[in-house]
Structure formats: C-alpha cells, structure tokens
Amino acid sequence: MIEVLEAAYPPARAESWDAVGLVSGDPGQGVRRVLFAVDPVAAVAAEALEWEADLIVTHHPLYLRGTTSVAATTPKGRLIRTLIKNDIALYTAHTNADVANPGVSDALARAVGLVGDLVPLQSFPDDPWRGLGRIGELPGEVTLGEFAAQAAEGLPRTSAGVRVAGDLSRPVRRVAVSGGAGDSLLETAKAAGVDVFLTADLRHHPASEFVESGGPALVDAAHWATEWPWLDSAASILRASGVNVETRVSATVTDAWTRGY
Ligand SMILES: [Zn+2]
C-alpha cells in the first residue's frame, strides 16, 4: 500500500519544510478500506470511524511543525488519539503530490475543463514533466466570465465559490492552474503568457497589482476545492495498482470558510 503511494508521490520530491508519509499506524497492518480527504480534521476522522476505514490518506499534514504532546487536550491530540485507539492509520502526500505527474494540479486542470496535454507551470530543472501548477487549454475560446462559471461548476461547491479579477468579457483559452495557495506563482503565470491563472488564497494587494500590470486574469477558488479533485486521482492510482482495497473520497467540505453572506 505505502509502496504504491510512494511510487506515485515520491517523498523525496516533497519540500524540505514539509512533513509527508505515514503519520500514524504500522506499515505492516492489514488495510481493507482507504478514505481520501484533503484535511486531517475531526469531521474526517468521524467519517473514517463510521465507514470503518483502516487508513486515511490526506493531502495536508497533521503535524507540520512538530509537537511535544499528543494528549487529548488539543484538536490534533484528540484526532491522533482517536485514530490510534481505533487502529486507523494516517498517511500524507502533500507537496510531493503537488509536483507529481499526475498530481494535484492535473486533477484541478481537468476539473475546470482543460483538455489535451498539460505541462508544469514551474517544472523541476531535472524533470520537465514534474513541478508546480499546470498549463493547458480549453477546447475553445470563451469569455473570462464563462470560464469562471465553468470552473465553479467543475469544482465542489463551497461557501465562497470562485472570485474573478479581470474583465469578464476578456477572451480566454490558455489557462494556468495551481492547487492550493498559488500566489508564489503569479509572476511565473504572467511570464508564461496565459490568459488566466486559477489558484486559491490570493490576497488583495498581489492580485490587484497583478491585474493592474496587465497580467493574466485571475480566478481565486476555495483552497479545499482546488485540491479536492486530486483525491479521486490518488484513489484511482491505488485501485489500478491491483491492491485489494475499497476506496472512498470524502465529500465532507473542510474548507476553513463555511459561510458567505
Ligand atoms: Zn493545500
């Protein structure tokens, strides 16, 4: 099981600050049911318990900065205690899944309607087919407004929906996407000459200055929603490997923003 995940998402490709791999559980334990989710949070642990999952594969790490206690006095402590008491393992594929091929942004690109070949927005110097973000094309030219509506339709629904920066009637066809917080890639998207860049967690000043400077239009979606399409891709890789497990993708919305007014 872990071999399959590590072949698809090599831990060595994770950022140095990241914490990926097995968080709890025994690599030797039997696994029948695997739940895929973006966030290792209480609602996901509850879903795993109810479905009797043996393993949860999440995108986000539970512990990124280390801890000195797993006591049930903190949300993370309670979560890890629940998992261990119920023999549910937890495995994380984070930045190593972002840069994989296929990885997080491939699934995002397909979800928002990109077709044909996808290339990394920022590839590794030693591997042009792996890296952050993806660039691809829509099947035909549409307006920015039409693309944003299509992206919202293709992504799971969240309270914030998607936000657009730029002229809604602007024609778009060549698109860059990056799952999760992608503002470090703004200049790369501009240099790539795409018509629109879709990512998450964009802030006012960088977005405003980017659009004012004549860069591509921006579409900002919920962080959770941009990474969620990857779950099905990861589950498919596990099933295709021939390991005998049941997989399920959690539909629990764990985006931080739960209501828009
Ligand atoms: Zn993320």
Side-chain angles (χ1 to χ4, degrees):
M1 179 80 49
I2 289 177
E3 296 74 42
V4 176
L5 292 167
E6 302 209 327
Y9 311 114
R13 288 291 194 186
E15 296 281 353
S16 57
W17 50 261
D18 204 0
V20 302
L22 196 62
V23 180
S24 77
D26 180 340
Q29 80 186 70
V31 172
R32 287 175 311 115
R33 289 184 165 178
V34 187
L35 179 68
F36 289 81
V38 173
D39 294 297
V41 293
V44 167
E47 188 180 347
L49 262 179
E50 197 198 329
W51 186 55
E52 298 182 351
D54 308 293
L55 169 65
I56 307 173
V57 175
T58 63
H59 183 48
H60 291 145
L62 177 65
Y63 289 109
L64 194 53
R65 295 187 180 87
T67 187
T68 56
S69 167
V70 292
T73 49
T74 65
K76 292 184 182 196
R78 273 195 292 283
L79 187 128
I80 205 80
R81 186 165 178 271
T82 300
L83 297 186
I84 292 171
K85 272 176 69 182
N86 292 283
D87 228 3
I88 302 170
L90 175 63
Y91 183 92
T92 299
H94 189 214
T95 52
N96 48 331
D98 288 331
V99 299
N101 182 13
V104 172
S105 293
D106 291 284
L108 171 60
R110 298 304 182 208
V112 300
L114 304 192
V115 294
D117 290 340
L118 299 171
V119 295
L121 176 54
Q122 185 177 82
S123 56
F124 284 123
D126 64 338
D127 189 342
W129 297 104
R130 288 170 204 266
L132 286 174
R134 291 293 183 272
I135 296 175
E137 292 206 343
L138 295 164
E141 194 174 272
V142 294
T143 66
L144 174 60
E146 286 165 340
F147 171 65
Q150 173 181 325
E153 196 60 40
L155 294 174
R157 198 147 287 280
T158 54
S159 66
V162 306
R163 303 182 296 180
V164 185
D167 178 356
L168 289 179
S169 60
R170 171 184 183 154
V172 299
R173 178 155 195 190
R174 200 155 171 264
V175 181
V177 302
S178 185
D183 66 357
S184 67
L185 294 169
L186 281 170
E187 290 308 315
T188 313
K190 190 174 181 177
V194 296
D195 302 315
V196 55
F197 178 38
L198 182 150
T199 186
D201 291 350
L202 290 177
R203 291 173 298 137
H204 169 76
H205 286 298
S208 169
E209 285 165 22
F210 187 76
V211 172
E212 286 291 309
S213 73
L218 296 172
V219 176
D220 182 78
H223 188 124
W224 172 85
T226 62
E227 296 174 334
W228 187 84
W230 168 74
L231 304 177
D232 192 48
S233 158
S236 302
I237 287 172
L238 197 56
R239 287 195 305 271
S241 74
V243 294
N244 187 22
V245 289
E246 259 184 272
T247 61
R248 171 162 149 170
V249 168
S250 173
T252 306
V253 180
T254 56
D255 197 62
W257 310 110
T258 51
R259 180 86 186 250
Y261 289 92

mmCIF file with all atom_site columns, all heavy atoms in Angstrom, residues 38 59-60 94 98 179-181 223 227, ligand 1:
data_model
loop_
_atom_site.group_PDB
_atom_site.id
_atom_site.type_symbol
_atom_site.label_atom_id
_atom_site.label_alt_id
_atom_site.label_comp_id
_atom_site.label_asym_id
_atom_site.label_entity_id
_atom_site.label_seq_id
_atom_site.pdbx_PDB_ins_code
_atom_site.Cartn_x
_atom_site.Cartn_y
_atom_site.Cartn_z
_atom_site.occupancy
_atom_site.B_iso_or_equiv
_atom_site.pdbx_formal_charge
_atom_site.auth_seq_id
_atom_site.auth_comp_id
_atom_site.auth_asym_id
_atom_site.auth_atom_id
_atom_site.pdbx_PDB_model_num
ATOM   1  N  N   . VAL A 1 38  ? -8.859 15.847 2.029  1.00 0.00 ? 38  VAL A N   1
ATOM   2  C  CA  . VAL A 1 38  ? -7.879 16.938 1.950  1.00 0.00 ? 38  VAL A CA  1
ATOM   3  C  C   . VAL A 1 38  ? -7.261 17.217 3.319  1.00 0.00 ? 38  VAL A C   1
ATOM   4  O  O   . VAL A 1 38  ? -6.045 17.354 3.442  1.00 0.00 ? 38  VAL A O   1
ATOM   5  C  CB  . VAL A 1 38  ? -8.524 18.226 1.371  1.00 0.00 ? 38  VAL A CB  1
ATOM   6  C  CG1 . VAL A 1 38  ? -7.538 19.403 1.445  1.00 0.00 ? 38  VAL A CG1 1
ATOM   7  C  CG2 . VAL A 1 38  ? -8.969 18.013 -0.076 1.00 0.00 ? 38  VAL A CG2 1
ATOM   8  N  N   . HIS A 1 59  ? -4.163 15.106 2.052  1.00 0.00 ? 59  HIS A N   1
ATOM   9  C  CA  . HIS A 1 59  ? -3.217 15.977 1.355  1.00 0.00 ? 59  HIS A CA  1
ATOM   10 C  C   . HIS A 1 59  ? -2.454 16.826 2.370  1.00 0.00 ? 59  HIS A C   1
ATOM   11 O  O   . HIS A 1 59  ? -1.243 16.945 2.299  1.00 0.00 ? 59  HIS A O   1
ATOM   12 C  CB  . HIS A 1 59  ? -3.983 16.856 0.365  1.00 0.00 ? 59  HIS A CB  1
ATOM   13 C  CG  . HIS A 1 59  ? -3.094 17.730 -0.453 1.00 0.00 ? 59  HIS A CG  1
ATOM   14 N  ND1 . HIS A 1 59  ? -1.970 17.263 -1.107 1.00 0.00 ? 59  HIS A ND1 1
ATOM   15 C  CD2 . HIS A 1 59  ? -3.143 19.055 -0.727 1.00 0.00 ? 59  HIS A CD2 1
ATOM   16 C  CE1 . HIS A 1 59  ? -1.380 18.261 -1.736 1.00 0.00 ? 59  HIS A CE1 1
ATOM   17 N  NE2 . HIS A 1 59  ? -2.063 19.362 -1.518 1.00 0.00 ? 59  HIS A NE2 1
ATOM   18 N  N   . HIS A 1 60  ? -3.162 17.406 3.314  1.00 0.00 ? 60  HIS A N   1
ATOM   19 C  CA  . HIS A 1 60  ? -2.485 18.282 4.282  1.00 0.00 ? 60  HIS A CA  1
ATOM   20 C  C   . HIS A 1 60  ? -1.923 17.480 5.446  1.00 0.00 ? 60  HIS A C   1
ATOM   21 O  O   . HIS A 1 60  ? -2.577 16.567 5.955  1.00 0.00 ? 60  HIS A O   1
ATOM   22 C  CB  . HIS A 1 60  ? -3.461 19.347 4.794  1.00 0.00 ? 60  HIS A CB  1
ATOM   23 C  CG  . HIS A 1 60  ? -3.822 20.347 3.742  1.00 0.00 ? 60  HIS A CG  1
ATOM   24 N  ND1 . HIS A 1 60  ? -5.056 20.920 3.639  1.00 0.00 ? 60  HIS A ND1 1
ATOM   25 C  CD2 . HIS A 1 60  ? -3.076 20.871 2.734  1.00 0.00 ? 60  HIS A CD2 1
ATOM   26 C  CE1 . HIS A 1 60  ? -5.068 21.757 2.618  1.00 0.00 ? 60  HIS A CE1 1
ATOM   27 N  NE2 . HIS A 1 60  ? -3.890 21.740 2.041  1.00 0.00 ? 60  HIS A NE2 1
ATOM   28 N  N   . HIS A 1 94  ? 1.670  15.529 0.378  1.00 0.00 ? 94  HIS A N   1
ATOM   29 C  CA  . HIS A 1 94  ? 1.407  16.964 0.303  1.00 0.00 ? 94  HIS A CA  1
ATOM   30 C  C   . HIS A 1 94  ? 2.157  17.598 -0.875 1.00 0.00 ? 94  HIS A C   1
ATOM   31 O  O   . HIS A 1 94  ? 1.728  17.454 -2.016 1.00 0.00 ? 94  HIS A O   1
ATOM   32 C  CB  . HIS A 1 94  ? 1.786  17.601 1.663  1.00 0.00 ? 94  HIS A CB  1
ATOM   33 C  CG  . HIS A 1 94  ? 1.386  19.023 1.803  1.00 0.00 ? 94  HIS A CG  1
ATOM   34 N  ND1 . HIS A 1 94  ? 2.144  19.927 2.515  1.00 0.00 ? 94  HIS A ND1 1
ATOM   35 C  CD2 . HIS A 1 94  ? 0.321  19.709 1.337  1.00 0.00 ? 94  HIS A CD2 1
ATOM   36 C  CE1 . HIS A 1 94  ? 1.539  21.110 2.479  1.00 0.00 ? 94  HIS A CE1 1
ATOM   37 N  NE2 . HIS A 1 94  ? 0.442  21.009 1.764  1.00 0.00 ? 94  HIS A NE2 1
ATOM   38 N  N   . ASP A 1 98  ? 1.739  17.585 -4.995 1.00 0.00 ? 98  ASP A N   1
ATOM   39 C  CA  . ASP A 1 98  ? 1.619  18.795 -5.834 1.00 0.00 ? 98  ASP A CA  1
ATOM   40 C  C   . ASP A 1 98  ? 2.473  18.667 -7.091 1.00 0.00 ? 98  ASP A C   1
ATOM   41 O  O   . ASP A 1 98  ? 2.051  19.067 -8.170 1.00 0.00 ? 98  ASP A O   1
ATOM   42 C  CB  . ASP A 1 98  ? 2.089  20.044 -5.060 1.00 0.00 ? 98  ASP A CB  1
ATOM   43 C  CG  . ASP A 1 98  ? 1.114  20.475 -3.976 1.00 0.00 ? 98  ASP A CG  1
ATOM   44 O  OD1 . ASP A 1 98  ? -0.095 20.224 -4.121 1.00 0.00 ? 98  ASP A OD1 1
ATOM   45 O  OD2 . ASP A 1 98  ? 1.568  21.061 -2.976 1.00 0.00 ? 98  ASP A OD2 1
ATOM   46 N  N   . GLY A 1 179 ? -3.141 24.116 -7.598 1.00 0.00 ? 179 GLY A N   1
ATOM   47 C  CA  . GLY A 1 179 ? -3.965 23.745 -6.446 1.00 0.00 ? 179 GLY A CA  1
ATOM   48 C  C   . GLY A 1 179 ? -3.389 24.348 -5.172 1.00 0.00 ? 179 GLY A C   1
ATOM   49 O  O   . GLY A 1 179 ? -2.170 24.406 -5.001 1.00 0.00 ? 179 GLY A O   1
ATOM   50 N  N   . GLY A 1 180 ? -4.253 24.805 -4.285 1.00 0.00 ? 180 GLY A N   1
ATOM   51 C  CA  . GLY A 1 180 ? -3.793 25.397 -3.032 1.00 0.00 ? 180 GLY A CA  1
ATOM   52 C  C   . GLY A 1 180 ? -3.346 26.835 -3.236 1.00 0.00 ? 180 GLY A C   1
ATOM   53 O  O   . GLY A 1 180 ? -3.652 27.463 -4.250 1.00 0.00 ? 180 GLY A O   1
ATOM   54 N  N   . ALA A 1 181 ? -2.603 27.346 -2.255 1.00 0.00 ? 181 ALA A N   1
ATOM   55 C  CA  . ALA A 1 181 ? -2.174 28.746 -2.293 1.00 0.00 ? 181 ALA A CA  1
ATOM   56 C  C   . ALA A 1 181 ? -1.114 28.939 -3.361 1.00 0.00 ? 181 ALA A C   1
ATOM   57 O  O   . ALA A 1 181 ? 0.004  28.459 -3.224 1.00 0.00 ? 181 ALA A O   1
ATOM   58 C  CB  . ALA A 1 181 ? -1.622 29.143 -0.925 1.00 0.00 ? 181 ALA A CB  1
ATOM   59 N  N   . HIS A 1 223 ? -9.482 27.066 -1.221 1.00 0.00 ? 223 HIS A N   1
ATOM   60 C  CA  . HIS A 1 223 ? -8.279 26.221 -1.126 1.00 0.00 ? 223 HIS A CA  1
ATOM   61 C  C   . HIS A 1 223 ? -8.659 24.734 -1.192 1.00 0.00 ? 223 HIS A C   1
ATOM   62 O  O   . HIS A 1 223 ? -8.130 23.966 -2.002 1.00 0.00 ? 223 HIS A O   1
ATOM   63 C  CB  . HIS A 1 223 ? -7.560 26.565 0.183  1.00 0.00 ? 223 HIS A CB  1
ATOM   64 C  CG  . HIS A 1 223 ? -6.219 25.930 0.334  1.00 0.00 ? 223 HIS A CG  1
ATOM   65 N  ND1 . HIS A 1 223 ? -5.070 26.647 0.562  1.00 0.00 ? 223 HIS A ND1 1
ATOM   66 C  CD2 . HIS A 1 223 ? -5.832 24.633 0.307  1.00 0.00 ? 223 HIS A CD2 1
ATOM   67 C  CE1 . HIS A 1 223 ? -4.042 25.832 0.658  1.00 0.00 ? 223 HIS A CE1 1
ATOM   68 N  NE2 . HIS A 1 223 ? -4.483 24.589 0.519  1.00 0.00 ? 223 HIS A NE2 1
ATOM   69 N  N   . GLU A 1 227 ? -7.940 21.451 -4.271 1.00 0.00 ? 227 GLU A N   1
ATOM   70 C  CA  . GLU A 1 227 ? -7.154 20.236 -4.031 1.00 0.00 ? 227 GLU A CA  1
ATOM   71 C  C   . GLU A 1 227 ? -8.022 18.973 -4.005 1.00 0.00 ? 227 GLU A C   1
ATOM   72 O  O   . GLU A 1 227 ? -7.504 17.861 -4.174 1.00 0.00 ? 227 GLU A O   1
ATOM   73 C  CB  . GLU A 1 227 ? -6.376 20.395 -2.713 1.00 0.00 ? 227 GLU A CB  1
ATOM   74 C  CG  . GLU A 1 227 ? -5.373 21.529 -2.844 1.00 0.00 ? 227 GLU A CG  1
ATOM   75 C  CD  . GLU A 1 227 ? -4.654 21.873 -1.549 1.00 0.00 ? 227 GLU A CD  1
ATOM   76 O  OE1 . GLU A 1 227 ? -5.189 21.630 -0.454 1.00 0.00 ? 227 GLU A OE1 1
ATOM   77 O  OE2 . GLU A 1 227 ? -3.548 22.406 -1.636 1.00 0.00 ? 227 GLU A OE2 1
HETATM 78 ZN ZN  . ZN  B 2 .   ? -3.318 22.874 0.400  1.00 0.00 ? 1   ZN  B ZN  1
#
